[in-house]
Amino acid sequence: ETGVTQTPRHLVMGMTNKKSLKCEQHLGHNAMYWYKQSAKKPLELMFVYSLEERVENNSVPSRFSPECPNSSHLFLHLHTLQPEDSALYLCASSQPNTGELFFGEGSRLTVL
Amino acid sequence: GDSVTQMEGPVTLSEEAFLTINCTYTATGYPSLFWYVQYPGEGLQLLLKATKADDKGSNKGFEATYRKETTSFHLEKGSVQVSDSAVYFCALSDQGRRALTFGSGTRLQVQP
């Protein structure tokens, strides 16, 4: 596979569940990102990893927990979410200093 | 902090009409500017970019010129097609940051 792949594409969970979103990139990039996309709001940057080290965390609630075990994989662990966390979660990767992000198709999360 | 402001949508045009989507920004330093496009059910993909003042980015008939004096990066296309229907995002990359700051997106609907 090529590009940035996200799984699952759709996820429905209750507020007490624990689930994870997975992102995999086959582009040889060394930076990976999680963004949250909600209706009628700008994309919100959640986390940035560079060379597997978290370099940015934009005041995201602790119920979202990222993990980057290597430069090709990024996870977002979810627990005790709220209905307002329902959104499209986008993963992206990049090479340094290009400014160009490559996005996956997103994981549509619904919290009941 | 950095911010990007886009015109609210949706923008509805007939096929072959002229398109303009306005984008203005605030940033410290000299950012790079981008337009991304999101087709239904897909992630974002880079449409064009400009890295310094007076640069013009172009791709697939779309153009945008980096105007430092008006802090703008308006997207234009001379003749839109139904296949251009999508959400368009303006974004900037400021010095020292890997992540992009996005606007809220503008939905374009082109009718045959």
Side-chain angles (χ1 to χ4, degrees):
Chain A
E1 290 196 38
T2 59
V4 181
T5 304
Q6 290 187 242
T7 55
R9 292 293 308 279
H10 300 272
L11 177 63
V12 179
M13 60 187 290
M15 290 191 285
T16 58
N17 292 157
K18 290 184 180 180
K19 298 286 185 182
S20 296
L21 306 181
K22 178 182 176 182
C23 177
E24 186 172 1
Q25 60 98 0
H26 303 272
L27 301 169
H29 293 162
N30 62 11
M32 296 188 76
Y33 311 77
W34 281 115
Y35 279 88
K36 177 183 178 182
Q37 185 177 25
S38 305
K40 299 184 180 179
K41 292 177 67 174
L43 269 72
E44 300 173 55
L45 177 66
M46 300 177 73
F47 302 104
V48 181
Y49 276 82
S50 176
L51 296 171
E52 302 150 39
E53 179 182 347
R54 191 188 313 176
V55 296
E56 195 160 341
N57 175 351
N58 276 355
S59 303
V60 178
S62 59
R63 58 185 182 269
F64 295 91
S65 175
E67 178 190 2
C68 187
N70 55 62
S71 60
S72 298
H73 293 86
L74 183 65
F75 295 88
L76 189 63
H77 302 301
L78 317 168
H79 63 98
T80 59
L81 295 190
Q82 305 298 311
E84 59 264 29
D85 296 323
S86 298
L88 182 68
Y89 288 84
L90 292 166
C91 174
S93 68
S94 75
Q95 281 288 65
N97 303 321
T98 64
E100 179 177 356
L101 303 187
F102 290 77
F103 284 86
E105 295 181 321
S107 293
R108 173 72 62 188
L109 173 66
T110 302
V111 181
L112 301 176
Chain B
D2 299 344
S3 67
V4 176
T5 302
Q6 291 181 235
M7 58 189 292
E8 288 194 20
V11 174
T12 303
L13 297 173
S14 297
E15 207 163 20
E16 299 183 2
F18 184 85
L19 168 71
T20 300
I21 299 178
N22 291 337
C23 170
T24 57
Y25 66 90
T26 57
T28 56
Y30 303 96
S32 295
L33 302 173
F34 305 83
W35 277 100
Y36 279 76
V37 59
Q38 185 177 31
Y39 298 102
E42 299 183 13
L44 281 71
Q45 54 186 278
L46 180 66
L47 180 61
L48 54 84
K49 68 178 183 180
T51 58
K52 61 184 187 297
D54 300 324
D55 269 2
K56 177 186 283 188
S58 61
N59 186 25
K60 299 181 182 179
F62 291 89
E63 294 182 340
T65 301
Y66 189 141
R67 301 288 188 198
K68 184 170 178 290
E69 63 277 10
T70 55
T71 62
S72 64
F73 192 54
H74 305 321
L75 183 68
E76 296 182 336
K77 187 175 186 182
S79 175
V80 294
Q81 306 300 312
V82 172
S83 57
D84 293 326
S85 298
V87 181
Y88 292 81
F89 293 87
C90 187
L92 69 82
S93 173
D94 209 348
Q95 293 175 346
R97 289 192 72 221
R98 289 179 174 274
L100 300 183
T101 300
F102 286 88
S104 55
T106 302
R107 181 175 300 278
L108 170 66
Q109 298 172 334
V110 180
Q111 298 174 335

